[in-house]
């Protein structure tokens, strides 16, 4: 049999050879060489483009719009639009500041302590949405109780200049960080090998996880690593992809549950997959992906699975303890290799703290950075930063010990109960449709009957600041402790009712302000114009409009 | 063709035919060479050669050179050999233990919170614990014993101010400028104030960040993205070997190839000629430091700027360490060459407000000459389902308190305050330098232009002096390639008697080492750096460094002791209670 097979193959090869020779005989060898070189070159280039994080279509689209915008007519039109948007943004950013005074250069003499405190209070008093009254979706998660504030003030005074880059000079700060990590590892049911670091926020934690898995893939000889990302995952993953050159393979959502489609995830897994992402819960819809199933996929295909629990990290474990049905989302699911959780969200600490924990130090070590040859000494850092704010760590440590399991159980139950109350209220409004189950900390909805951006706009006029969603259009409210205060949920539902009626009564009217911008932005085919709007917004955030560069107050 | 001289016009056809002839000959020659090859062979060979060529070119263009990758692969293979593995593991575990001991030796109790307490602790208890944690340190930096680390003397009035400001802004977050307009305003003001310090024009702009490393990362990211936009697929940056490690970090993170330029071994300034040679079509940025971290030398920024100008390459000035000194040195009476936006090719400056700006840790600035560059730092995804998402820096949510604290500190000191501090610090630095210059056995490294005094010795291992000074309570920075140590002078060293004491202690230590050269042998720092310098496999050095980081996050209990077992019991009982309470609730629902 084998000899038969060999013979057959040999004949086939001889045949193919003869065929090729026959075809190419009449061509000049030089031409042959030239054509082959060109063809190979082209093939390799196309393959590179296809594997690279910037895909061929993206490159093509960018180039197309780039040249299109060079056409004077188009340029003028776009500039006009951008200028108009800039004007709107300028107004919305500076509306609350009536003073018109800015410090734009260092005063000759320093200001006194009392003057400064007074000025800082004036700044603080500038009119903004009343977040402590529960009017703002997300943003501040703590209700800032007086005793916690006192505690934080004390701890800050002690640790203001501390810096874990110097563990021997600041052993206390070092110890606190180690303890926060251990407490979180325990919270997420990690074994004795579980480990991690703190970071300055959820984006940082996510960036670090992506970096670790990219470095791991690179070391394994994968030149163009890919990550599998549900379309509902946080924007920080896209940021990581752009920063660290990872190719994103998108997995779509189930249109009913708004969890990631498991079949899509499985199809996306390939030889270059560096990580799979799932959220607990995601930001737009507040749904938790089927982490048990994704963990199994990760195990089957030997791909690390990252759980983004930036939002739910300090709700889900305590909700479970309080007896709510919470499917496993942490290290108790075997395939899960890392978890991000924001202590400065439902952990109720001041802004600037989050944790990234790994199942095993082998992953963490890919996050570490070391420059063994640096002139300034052997340099190693655990996160992106060199020097880090020790105060943020101390504040997080103090807050966690201050609340303890009991209080976190209370706060997370209050958040879940309020979320479900608001969800039930929305459910009863026929013009609105919920995105998914909305049962943890976010109520996310849209409408098939009314302009949802207008609802956002009108709610804003009633003092509620909600988040705009797009692709598909929608709005959501993220429930913090401030919404769990008595009467807030009821007032919210009542106002939604009122606004829906208002819109139904005047269906032709248009949305205004940022909500209108959303409606317009979604229709633009050239997404770089939307980027330009966003950059204009950021620029505006850094502007000091009246007193540019001429002295002080 | 009539504009060509007539003799060329006449001969052109002849030359043309000749050239064609040569080409034809070459073609025939080539075809003859291939006469023995079948067409399929020609195709196959060409294919193979082209592939190999393209592969090699890709390796050549990658961030890490083919050579360094092969080296690390080889070492990885060697380390898989059981005998080698066992030997390395044995050595490493010894090092790990040493490191862990040295990090945890100040913690005598070694009791750790490893699980969230069931009920929250009382405020007084937490404060008391925070105090006791703080008192563990063996290096009281307030006495001026620590190089760098804390740059302010923590005046009581300043601290009170910051505590108040912190209370006002603890939960603020510039991600939501509409919710926190005050915090937004403060950040904008900080940027304008600092841009003005560095002579930025009306278009200068920037952002605050969490530290010098983030500022540097952001600048590198901006220039990388700019290079991508200009069609450079594999950008490179050209930096002096003395530049901060954050640039190499940026290279690794953002896939930028780093080209290191040597420095003048005497002045430690970057060799501008070598920098010029390192510039190529893929160069996306040039870097100069004012001053560099290792030896405190200011690079010749004017010349680097001239390079940048003639090649059209952006120049980044890293003033993370010295930014708040050099900006005031002129006014403090020290002449300075221009180093900032006054030079036309300087497009960005990084400057730490949490160093000589005296703000609490977690604050730094990255500034650009024009918005064009800043926009390459911005990130935006227009299509995110959660809304149009745009951020100016690496972070999403940011700590508004850090911004408010920096704002308050800048205004609290004012120009006069910073000029006075700069004068004291630079004076002290020069005093120490003078003292060391006259010390036998000590050789100064670099020029100490601002606040760093780096020195080494030709007579003994300098690291053993570092260890000796460590025992006397001084915490210095160790340098390598070449081996040296440095003291970074802060406000705490300007206190009465500190500089004199330091010089005295160095003299004493030097005298001891010179008279007893044997005693250099038991230096642990010398051992680690000696190992690092002699071992070709740098991943081993990385392993040691990672062991250091790991033990920073460790909670090692004492080998034996009641405290430990007590703690464990606490954990067990807590876990039991939880599961029972969870069941209880579940039933109730």
């Amino acid at each position: 049999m084998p000899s038969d097979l060999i013979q057959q193959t040999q004949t086939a090869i001889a045949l193919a050879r003869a065929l090729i020779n026959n075809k190419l005989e009449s061509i000049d060898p030089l031409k042959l060489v030239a054509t082959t070189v060109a063809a190979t070159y082209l093939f390799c280039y196309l393959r590179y483009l296809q594997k690279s994080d910037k895909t061929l279509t993206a490159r093509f689209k960018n180039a197309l719009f780039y040249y299109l915008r060079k056409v004077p007519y188009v340029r003028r039109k776009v500039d006009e639009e951008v200028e108009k948007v800039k004007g709107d943004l300028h107004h919305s950013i500076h509306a609350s500041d009536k003073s018109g005074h800015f410090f734009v250069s260092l005063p000759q003499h320093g200001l006194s302590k009392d003057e400064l405190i007074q000025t800082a209070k004036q700044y603080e008093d500038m009119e903004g949405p009343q977040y402590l009254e529960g009017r703002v979706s997300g943003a501040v998660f703590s209700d800032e109780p007086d005793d916690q504030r006192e505690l934080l003030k004390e701890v800050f005074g002690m640790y203001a200049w501390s810096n874990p880059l110097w563990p021997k000079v600041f052993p206390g700060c070092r110890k606190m960080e180690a303890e926060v990590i251990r407490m979180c590892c325990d919270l997420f049911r990690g074994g004795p090998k579980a480990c991690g670091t703190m970071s300055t926020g959820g984006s940082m934690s996510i960036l670090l996880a992506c970096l670790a898995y990219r470095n791991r893939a690179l070391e394994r000889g994968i030149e163009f690593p890919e990550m599998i990302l549900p379309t509902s995952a946080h924007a920080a993953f896209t940021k990581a992809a752009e920063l660290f050159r990872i190719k994103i393979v998108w997995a779509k959502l189930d249109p009913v549950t708004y969890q990631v489609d498991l079949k899509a995830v499985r199809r996306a897994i390939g030889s270059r997959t560096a990580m799979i992402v799932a959220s607990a819960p995601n930001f737009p819809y507040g749904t938790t992906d089927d982490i048990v199933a994704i963990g199994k996929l990760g195990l089957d295909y030997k791909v690390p699975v990252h759980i983004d629990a930036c939002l739910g990290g300090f709700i889900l474990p305590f909700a479970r303890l309080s007896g709510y049905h919470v499917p496993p989302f942490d290290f108790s699911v075997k395939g899960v290799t890392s978890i991000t959780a924001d202590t400065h969200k439902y952990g109720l600490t001041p802004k600037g703290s989050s944790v990234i924990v790994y199942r095993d130090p082998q992953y963490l070590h890919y996050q570490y950075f070391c420059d063994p040859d640096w002139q300034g000494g052997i340099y190693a850092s655990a996160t992106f930063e060199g020097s880090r704010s020790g105060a943020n760590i101390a504040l997080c440590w103090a807050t966690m010990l201050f609340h303890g399991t009991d209080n976190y159980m209370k706060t997370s139950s209050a958040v879940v109960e309020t979320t479900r109350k608001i969800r039930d209220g929305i459910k009863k409004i026929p013009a609105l449709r919920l995105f998914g189950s909305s049962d943890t900390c976010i109520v996310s909805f849209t409408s098939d009957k009314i302009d949802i951006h207008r609802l956002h706009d009108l709610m804003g006029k009633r003092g509620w600041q909600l988040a705009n969603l797009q692709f598909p259009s929608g709005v959501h409210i993220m429930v913090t402790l401030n919404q769990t205060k008595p009467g807030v949920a009821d007032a919210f539902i009542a106002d939604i009712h009122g606004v829906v009626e208002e819109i139904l009564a005047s269906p032709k009217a248009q949305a205004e302000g940022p909500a209108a911008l959303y409606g317009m932005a979604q229709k633009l085919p050239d997404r770089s114009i939307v980027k330009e709007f966003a950059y204009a917004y950021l620029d505006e955030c850094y502007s000091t409009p009246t007193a540019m560069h001429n002295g002080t107050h | 063709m009539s504009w060509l001289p007539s003799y060329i016009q006449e001969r052109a056809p002849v030359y043309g035919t000749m050239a064609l002839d040569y080409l034809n000959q070459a073609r025939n020659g080539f075809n003859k060479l291939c006469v023995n090859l079948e067409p399929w062979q020609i195709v196959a060979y060409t294919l193979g050669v082209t592939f190999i060529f393209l592969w090699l070119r890709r390796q050549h263009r990658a961030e890490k050179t083919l050579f360094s990758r092969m080296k690390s692969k080889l070492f990885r293979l060697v380390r898989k050999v059981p005998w080698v593995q066992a030997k390395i593991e044995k050595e490493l575990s010894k090092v790990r233990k040493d490191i862990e001991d040295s990090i945890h030796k100040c913690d005598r109790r070694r009791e750790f919170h490893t699980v969230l307490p069931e009920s929250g602790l009382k405020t007084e208890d937490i404060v008391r614990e925070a105090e006791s944690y703080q008192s563990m340190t063996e290096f009281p930096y307030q006495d001026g014993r620590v190089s760098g680390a804390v740059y302010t003397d923590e005046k009581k009035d300043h601290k009170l101010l910051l505590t108040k400001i912190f209370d006002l802004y603890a939960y603020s977050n510039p991600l939501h400028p509409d919710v926190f307009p005050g915090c937004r305003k403060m950040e904008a003001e900080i940027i304008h104030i600092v841009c003005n310090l560095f002579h930025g024009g009306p278009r200068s702009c920037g952002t605050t960040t969490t530290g010098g490393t983030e500022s540097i990362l952001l600048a590198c990211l901006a220039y990388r993205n700019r290079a991508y936009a200009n069609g450079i697929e594999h950008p490179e940056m050209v930096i002096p070997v003395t530049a901060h490690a954050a640039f190499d970090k940026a290279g690794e993170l953002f896939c930028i190839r780093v080209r290191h330029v040597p420095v003048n071994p005497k002045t430690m300034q970057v060799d501008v000629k070598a920098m010029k040679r390192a510039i190529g079509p893929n160069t996306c940025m040039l870097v100069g430091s004012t001053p560099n971290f290792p030896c405190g030398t200011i690079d010749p920024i004017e010349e680097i700027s001239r390079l940048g100008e003639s090649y059209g390459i952006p120049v980044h000035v890293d003033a993370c360490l010295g930014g708040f000194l050099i900006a005031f040195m002129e006014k403090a009476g020290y002449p300075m060459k221009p180093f900032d936006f006054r030079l036309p090719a300087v497009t960005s400056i990084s400057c730490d407000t949490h160093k000589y700006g005296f703000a609490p840790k977690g604050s730094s600035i990255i500034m650009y000459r024009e918005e064009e560059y800043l926009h390459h730092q911005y990130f935006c995804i227009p299509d995110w389902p959660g809304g149009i998402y745009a951020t100016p820096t690496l972070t999403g949510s940011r700590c508004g308190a850090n911004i408010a604290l920096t704002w308050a500190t800048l205004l609290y000191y004012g120009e006069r305050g910073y000029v006075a501090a700069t004068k004291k610090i630079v004076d002290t630095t020069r005093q120490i330098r003078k003292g060391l210059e006259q010390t036998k056995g000590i050789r100064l490294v670099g020029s100490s232009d601002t606040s760093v005094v780096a020195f080494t010795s030709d007579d003994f291992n300098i690291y053993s002096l570092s260890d000796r000074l460590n025992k006397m309570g001084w915490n210095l920075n160790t340098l390598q390639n070449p081996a040296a140590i440095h003291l970074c002078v802060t406000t705490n060293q300007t206190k009465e008697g500190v500089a004199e004491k330091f010089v005295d202690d160095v003299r004493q230590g030097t005298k001891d080492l010179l008279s007893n050269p044997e005693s250099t042998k038991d230096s642990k720092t010398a051992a680690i750096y000696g190992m690092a310098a002699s071992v070709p496999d740098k991943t081993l050095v990385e392993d040691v460094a990672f062991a250091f980081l790991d033990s920073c996050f460790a909670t090692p209990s004492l080998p034996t002791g009641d405290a430990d077992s007590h703690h464990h019991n606490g954990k067990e009982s807590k876990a039991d209670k939880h599961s029972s309470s969870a069941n209880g609730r579940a039933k109730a629902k």
Side-chain angles (χ1 to χ4, degrees):
Chain A
M1 273 298 272
S3 68
D4 245 23
L5 201 71
I6 290 167
Q7 213 164 27
Q8 272 176 16
T9 331
Q10 273 174 345
T11 354
I13 290 173
L15 217 72
R17 205 176 84 178
L19 200 76
I20 293 171
N21 285 349
N22 204 356
K23 278 245 162 154
L24 303 180
E25 213 159 28
S26 55
I27 305 173
D28 226 21
L30 187 68
K31 265 191 203 163
L32 216 54
V33 169
T35 325
T36 318
V37 168
T40 321
Y41 202 91
L42 191 70
F43 172 77
C44 285
Y45 182 62
L46 288 177
R47 208 172 129 73
Y48 164 77
L49 288 184
Q50 180 235 333
K51 284 203 283 190
S52 132
D53 56 323
K54 283 175 256 164
T55 58
L56 194 57
T57 35
R59 280 168 200 257
F60 176 73
K61 237 163 91 180
N62 277 348
L64 180 75
F65 285 119
Y66 177 79
Y67 287 113
L68 201 64
R69 284 176 63 178
K70 292 236 155 150
V71 178
Y73 170 76
V74 179
R75 180 72 252 177
R76 230 179 6 253
K77 204 83 186 151
V78 169
D79 280 348
E80 265 170 36
E81 255 337 285
V82 172
E83 276 314 308
K84 218 169 77 194
V85 171
K86 265 187 192 165
D88 286 353
L89 292 172
H90 180 89
H91 177 76
S92 78
I93 294 276
H94 296 284
S96 58
D97 185 6
K98 307 241 158 49
S99 72
H101 287 300
F102 292 95
F103 289 101
V104 292
S105 57
L106 209 56
Q108 187 86 41
H109 290 277
L111 276 67
S112 76
K113 187 180 96 206
D114 298 331
E115 267 176 290
L116 273 169
I117 291 171
Q118 211 189 333
T119 316
K121 270 194 183 135
Q122 272 170 20
Y123 281 25
E124 173 75 355
D125 286 342
M126 286 197 284
E127 206 179 312
Q130 300 304 306
Y131 66 85
L132 282 177
E133 285 161 31
R135 291 305 182 120
V136 178
S137 161
V140 178
F141 294 77
S142 163
D143 51 357
E144 305 183 9
D146 286 340
D147 47 351
Q148 186 185 336
R149 267 175 72 166
E150 273 311 308
L151 166 70
L152 293 183
K153 229 161 77 178
E154 287 266 337
V155 173
F156 170 78
M158 273 183 258
Y159 285 83
W161 277 281
S162 65
N163 178 356
L165 181 68
W166 309 88
K168 287 187 191 167
V169 183
F170 303 104
C173 173
R174 184 211 67 71
K175 185 168 177 175
M176 286 171 169
E177 184 175 14
E179 290 185 345
V180 168
I181 295 299
R182 282 265 53 92
M183 287 193 272
C184 289
C185 286
D186 175 71
L187 198 60
F188 301 129
R189 298 189 274 187
K193 291 181 90 178
C195 54
T197 62
M198 289 186 70
S199 81
T200 59
S203 285
M204 284 294 204
S205 297
I206 289 172
L207 291 179
L208 286 169
C210 294
L211 176 70
Y213 293 127
R214 183 205 71 171
N215 289 347
R216 181 172 176 271
L218 289 180
E219 199 184 281
R220 293 174 164 230
I222 301 171
E223 220 176 325
F224 300 95
E226 297 176 350
M227 68 165 129
I228 298 173
L229 203 58
T231 52
S232 57
H234 193 270
F237 290 100
T238 317
K239 198 178 198 172
E242 191 181 302
L243 259 46
F244 310 137
R245 302 208 65 168
I246 309 167
K247 186 174 177 177
I248 298 176
V249 183
W250 293 104
K252 62 181 174 52
L253 304 186
D254 181 296
V256 177
T257 61
Y258 284 84
Q259 292 178 317
V260 66
D261 183 344
L262 290 171
K263 275 190 208 131
V265 173
R266 175 169 321 169
R267 267 199 308 274
I269 298 176
S271 58
R272 292 193 289 272
T273 308
M275 66 189 290
I276 304 176
V277 174
S279 317
N282 60 50
F283 175 90
Y285 315 113
T287 46
T288 301
D289 293 318
D290 185 349
I291 286 163
V292 175
I294 292 171
K296 193 165 176 305
L297 277 181
L299 268 190
D300 288 351
Y301 290 92
K302 295 201 173 68
V303 180
V305 174
H306 175 78
I307 303 304
D308 173 22
C310 280
L311 275 172
F314 278 77
I315 290 196
L316 297 177
F318 300 109
R320 189 187 68 233
L321 288 177
S322 305
Y324 289 99
H325 170 68
V326 177
F329 71 97
D330 50 19
F331 290 124
S332 63
V333 179
K334 260 200 181 135
V336 171
T337 48
S338 58
I339 299 173
T340 43
D342 281 4
T343 37
H344 71 194
K345 291 210 170 87
Y346 293 102
L348 309 176
T349 68
K351 282 292 160 190
S353 92
S354 169
V355 295
I356 161 80
V357 286
Y358 296 91
R359 175 179 288 277
D360 190 290
Q362 59 154 311
Y363 301 107
L364 174 63
H365 285 186
Y366 288 111
Q367 174 191 312
Y368 285 171
F369 169 79
C370 177
D371 184 352
D373 301 322
W374 187 43
Q375 281 208 322
I378 299 171
Y379 182 91
S381 64
T383 65
F384 290 119
E385 297 94 349
S387 284
R388 288 188 291 152
S389 163
N392 277 346
I393 292 168
L395 295 169
C396 175
W397 173 87
T399 310
M400 284 176 74
L401 293 183
F402 177 78
H403 286 289
T405 309
D406 279 350
N407 203 43
Y408 281 130
M409 277 166 72
K410 264 186 226 145
T411 54
S412 58
S413 297
V415 167
V416 172
E417 285 305 321
T418 310
T419 307
R420 293 181 180 186
K421 186 173 179 186
I422 294 176
R423 174 198 64 188
D424 293 340
I426 301 286
K427 231 183 204 168
K428 286 189 197 124
I429 302 173
L432 300 180
R433 174 167 60 84
L434 284 164
F435 285 130
S437 55
S438 296
D439 59 356
T440 311
C441 57
I442 289 168
V443 184
S444 180
F445 53 95
T446 183
S447 172
D448 304 319
K449 301 190 179 71
I450 59 171
D451 178 4
I452 197 74
H453 292 301
R454 221 179 129 212
L455 178 133
H456 179 277
D457 182 25
L458 291 175
M459 283 300 279
K461 285 187 179 136
R462 294 188 183 212
W464 296 96
Q465 202 192 43
L466 309 181
N468 262 311
L469 308 178
Q470 55 175 356
F471 305 108
S473 296
V475 295
H476 87 206
I477 180 164
M478 192 185 292
V479 176
T480 70
L481 286 196
N482 295 305
Q483 274 86 28
T484 65
K485 291 173 183 170
V488 177
D490 293 316
F492 177 77
I493 297 165
D495 274 339
I496 288 271
H497 267 289
V499 164
V500 168
E501 267 161 38
E502 202 179 325
I503 298 172
L504 286 173
S506 60
K508 289 262 165 61
Q510 296 284 317
E512 293 164 25
L517 183 64
Y518 263 90
M520 188 257 282
Q522 279 188 80
K523 289 181 198 122
L524 288 173
D526 179 1
R527 307 306 294 165
S528 68
I529 297 178
V530 183
K531 266 194 189 182
E532 217 163 298
F533 291 160
Y535 290 175
Y537 170 79
L538 291 179
D539 285 341
E540 207 50 65
C541 287
Y542 286 101
S543 71
T544 52
T546 50
M548 287 291 284
H549 300 276
N550 46 8
T552 60
H553 263 263
Chain B
M1 296 277 265
S2 58
W3 49 271
L4 283 168
S6 60
Y7 66 93
I8 291 188
Q9 275 190 39
E10 280 160 25
R11 295 182 198 177
V14 186
Y15 285 135
T17 340
M18 269 170 72
L20 275 179
D21 244 28
Y22 277 125
L23 274 178
N24 238 339
Q25 265 176 31
R27 198 180 98 182
N28 285 338
F30 182 83
N31 286 352
K32 244 182 230 157
L33 271 179
C34 303
V35 94
N36 290 327
L37 292 172
E38 292 175 44
W40 77 268
Q41 280 174 316
I42 298 175
V43 172
Y45 294 163
T46 320
L47 211 68
V49 170
T50 320
F51 263 125
I52 290 171
F53 170 76
L54 286 176
W55 184 80
L56 282 174
R57 202 182 59 165
R58 211 170 69 206
Q59 304 309 319
H60 174 71
R61 280 179 175 178
E63 301 85 54
K64 282 192 190 140
T65 55
L66 184 61
F67 177 68
S68 77
R69 272 193 288 177
M70 269 163 61
K71 213 167 77 177
S72 67
K73 198 152 212 170
L74 181 76
F75 284 124
R76 258 210 308 279
L77 281 178
V78 170
R79 284 183 63 175
K80 286 222 168 116
V81 177
W83 178 77
V84 180
Q85 202 175 11
K87 186 125 182 151
I88 288 176
E89 204 31 63
K90 203 176 131 205
E91 279 304 311
L92 271 181
S93 62
K94 220 164 63 194
V95 173
R96 270 194 210 112
K97 199 164 169 336
D98 275 357
I99 291 175
E100 199 168 283
D101 283 349
S102 86
I103 284 188
H104 293 275
K105 77 167 184 250
C106 60
D107 185 0
R108 294 204 181 72
R109 278 197 303 159
R110 303 241 182 133
E111 289 171 350
F112 297 96
H113 290 282
T114 56
V115 294
L116 204 59
E118 193 170 348
S119 315
L121 272 59
K122 275 201 239 108
T123 302
E124 310 89 79
D125 292 342
I126 299 176
V127 170
R128 202 175 312 127
E129 244 180 273
E131 270 165 356
S132 83
Y133 279 26
Q134 205 191 21
S135 65
M136 292 194 300
T137 184
E138 289 167 349
F139 296 100
Y141 58 84
Q142 294 88 345
D143 302 348
R145 291 313 188 100
V146 178
S147 161
V150 177
Y151 294 75
T152 168
D153 51 358
E154 303 186 0
K155 268 187 283 191
K156 210 172 160 203
D157 194 42
H158 184 209
K159 223 168 143 169
L160 273 177
L161 164 70
L162 293 187
T163 315
K164 261 285 205 249
I165 300 280
F166 167 77
D167 188 37
L168 284 173
Y169 285 85
Y171 284 92
S172 66
N173 178 357
L175 181 67
H176 306 285
D178 38 359
V179 186
F180 302 104
C183 180
R184 181 213 72 76
K185 184 169 175 169
M186 285 172 168
E187 188 181 10
E189 291 184 344
I190 294 172
I191 296 299
H192 282 276
I193 288 173
V194 182
C195 278
N196 269 338
L197 282 183
F198 291 92
H199 301 96
R203 297 180 67 193
S204 61
C205 53
T207 61
T208 66
T209 69
T210 59
T213 299
E214 196 191 349
S215 295
I216 291 172
L217 290 180
L218 285 171
C220 296
L221 177 69
Y223 293 126
R224 182 203 75 168
N225 288 346
R226 183 172 173 272
Y228 283 162
N230 291 341
I232 299 172
E233 194 75 37
H234 302 279
E236 298 177 354
M237 61 168 130
V238 177
I239 69 169
V241 287
T242 47
H244 195 271
F247 289 99
D248 285 283
K249 196 175 194 175
E252 190 177 307
L253 258 49
F254 304 139
C255 310
I256 311 167
R257 187 165 181 179
V258 183
R259 286 192 182 274
H260 293 102
V261 180
V263 292
N264 178 321
K266 192 119 202 219
T267 63
M268 300 303 270
Q269 286 189 330
V270 67
D271 179 348
V272 179
K273 276 195 197 126
M275 186 170 247
K276 183 175 175 181
R277 281 195 300 275
I279 294 175
N282 292 336
T283 308
C284 70
M285 67 188 291
L286 305 176
V287 173
S289 317
T290 57
N292 61 46
F293 172 87
C295 39
T297 304
I298 295 182
D299 284 322
I301 305 294
E302 279 174 298
E303 290 171 53
I304 298 174
S305 167
R306 234 169 281 140
L307 272 187
E309 215 179 344
S310 57
Y311 287 94
I313 300 171
V315 173
H316 176 80
V317 172
D318 175 21
C320 280
L321 178 60
F324 268 76
L325 295 176
I326 55 172
F328 301 105
M329 273 173 78
E330 200 86 52
K331 286 203 168 116
Y334 303 100
M336 292 285 290
K337 285 183 189 155
F339 51 82
D340 53 18
F341 290 126
R342 281 171 290 180
L343 299 171
V346 171
T347 47
S348 58
I349 301 174
S350 50
C351 167
D352 283 5
T353 32
H354 69 193
K355 292 208 171 91
Y356 294 103
F358 305 133
K361 281 292 159 191
S363 128
S364 168
I365 317 275
I366 170 75
M367 292 165 270
Y368 296 93
R369 173 178 285 275
E370 282 165 21
E371 276 167 3
E372 185 226 325
Y373 301 103
L374 175 63
H375 285 191
H376 286 294
Q377 173 191 311
Y378 285 172
F379 168 80
C380 172
I381 50 169
D383 302 338
W384 188 41
I388 300 171
Y389 183 89
T391 56
T393 66
L394 294 180
T395 39
S397 282
R398 287 188 290 152
C399 175
N402 275 347
I403 289 169
L405 296 167
T406 304
W407 174 86
T409 305
L410 286 180
L411 295 180
Y412 177 77
Y413 273 90
E415 195 181 271
R416 291 265 169 106
Y418 285 120
V419 170
T422 301
K423 181 143 183 44
K424 271 203 283 188
I425 288 165
V426 177
D427 279 346
T428 308
T429 309
R430 302 201 170 172
Q431 183 192 345
I432 292 174
R433 188 179 164 86
K434 218 164 161 199
L436 295 185
E437 218 163 22
Q438 293 155 358
T439 305
K440 197 174 152 268
I442 294 287
R443 178 165 59 81
L444 290 162
V445 180
S447 50
S448 306
D449 291 321
T450 55
S451 60
V452 175
V453 188
F455 52 98
T456 185
S457 171
D458 299 324
D459 304 318
F460 53 84
N461 188 320
I462 192 71
Y463 297 133
S464 49
L465 177 64
S466 170
D467 283 358
R468 197 162 273 263
L469 287 168
N470 211 276
K471 279 192 192 118
M472 297 185 198
W474 297 95
N475 193 328
L476 304 187
N477 294 79
T478 38
L479 316 174
Q480 57 175 351
N481 311 321
I485 53 179
H486 88 210
L487 173 75
C488 178
V489 177
T490 71
T491 317
N492 293 306
Q493 274 85 27
T494 65
K495 288 175 185 166
E496 181 107 18
V498 178
E500 290 85 356
K501 177 89 178 106
F502 177 70
V503 173
D504 281 352
D505 280 355
V506 171
R507 282 197 182 140
Q508 185 59 45
T510 308
K511 217 164 110 193
D512 290 353
L513 286 168
L514 282 174
S515 61
N516 183 14
E518 276 302 297
S519 63
T520 62
K521 287 214 173 117
D522 50 326
S523 159
K524 271 190 181 150
T525 318
I528 286 188
Y529 275 93
M531 186 279 276
S534 64
V535 170
D537 181 4
K538 290 295 175 193
T539 60
L540 272 179
V541 185
E542 273 179 26
D543 277 347
V544 174
F546 289 177
F548 170 80
L549 291 177
D550 280 340
S551 54
C552 284
F553 293 104
T555 50
S557 42
L558 289 169
T560 51
D562 296 345
D564 175 50
S565 63
H566 182 80
H567 212 91
H568 258 279
N569 287 341
K571 183 178 173 179
E572 294 307 320
S573 65
K574 177 188 157 271
D576 285 341
K577 239 183 176 170
H578 264 166
S579 55
S580 66
S581 73
N583 288 339
R585 288 276 185 109
K587 267 176 214 156
K589 290 222 164 200

